[in-house]
Amino acid sequence: PIKDFRKTILDRANSDAEAGNDRLAIMLYATWLEHSINWILAMALSRKGYSAQIVNPLIRELRLGTKASSLWTMAGLSPLNEEDLKLLDTIGNHRNSFVHYKWPGHDEITHVRNDSQLRGIVAEARGLTERLMAAESEQLWFGREEEIIEFIRRGDVRRSDP
């Protein structure tokens, strides 16, 4: 089984955001978003009857934007809004500029402006994570996540419906 580190990643992203470590925060928010989108898609597609042999290559090979739009819809999930898709792309681009050293060439004034822009994007990223968690809760757990998890923890498998 795969261990789900999303809570740890999100807690760390929020801590770094609050501490003003914007580049680390954006890297962690981007990681959390990608893991969450992959998880939601894998679960939704599995519920539609697709095997891991079908789902895993799609998750591995498609770009995040394609997964969050086209594959998301094919999985039967309510579409993400256009602003969130753009924000997802912006977060990924900022992460890539930090992690993959894809920094644009610019002068000091542009650098200061980009840092200021990054601060705003980090703030917006937190809202996007909250909206994605709400979508997961609503569309995968039907608002009953805590109840279902408690049912599983109790090991009460005598019933088919929690």
Side-chain angles (χ1 to χ4, degrees):
I2 297 172
K3 182 155 174 54
D4 186 359
F5 288 101
R6 290 182 302 156
K7 182 179 179 343
T8 303
I9 293 167
L10 187 57
D11 288 346
R12 180 62 193 263
N14 289 334
S15 293
D16 279 326
E18 289 168 12
N21 300 323
D22 295 334
R23 287 183 178 84
L24 290 174
I26 206 70
M27 180 187 66
L28 291 164
Y29 281 129
T31 301
W32 184 91
L33 288 162
E34 188 163 6
H35 282 288
S36 293
I37 287 168
N38 290 347
W39 166 257
I40 293 168
L41 284 168
M43 294 295 294
L45 289 165
S46 174
R47 286 183 181 175
K48 289 183 83 62
Y50 292 103
S51 70
Q53 288 78 18
I54 299 294
V55 174
N56 290 348
L58 294 171
I59 297 292
R60 274 191 218 106
E61 295 176 23
L62 291 175
R63 289 183 44 246
L64 186 59
T66 305
K67 289 189 274 190
S69 58
S70 299
L71 189 58
W72 194 267
T73 301
M74 291 174 68
L77 298 165
S78 298
L80 300 174
N81 68 50
E82 199 61 39
E83 294 79 30
D84 282 346
L85 291 172
K86 287 178 186 173
L87 179 57
L88 185 64
D89 188 52
T90 299
I91 291 168
N93 288 337
H94 278 276
R95 185 262 323 263
N96 290 345
S97 72
F98 175 61
V99 173
H100 300 295
Y101 300 103
K102 295 180 179 175
W103 295 321
H106 52 68
D107 57 26
E108 188 62 29
I109 294 170
T110 305
H111 180 71
V112 170
R113 186 173 49 242
N114 287 347
D115 281 351
S116 175
Q117 180 187 31
L118 181 57
R119 168 101 319 239
I121 292 165
V122 166
E124 290 181 56
R126 188 175 220 161
L128 180 55
T129 63
E130 291 168 0
R131 290 188 295 281
L132 198 56
M133 283 189 290
E136 178 182 355
S137 177
E138 178 184 315
Q139 296 183 58
L140 290 184
W141 300 98
F142 307 105
R144 299 173 61 197
E145 182 175 3
E146 295 301 320
E147 177 185 350
I148 293 168
I149 290 172
E150 183 57 33
F151 173 80
I152 293 168
R153 284 186 181 141
R154 283 194 323 258
D156 189 358
V157 293
R158 293 182 306 261
R159 298 179 5 211
S160 62
D161 182 356

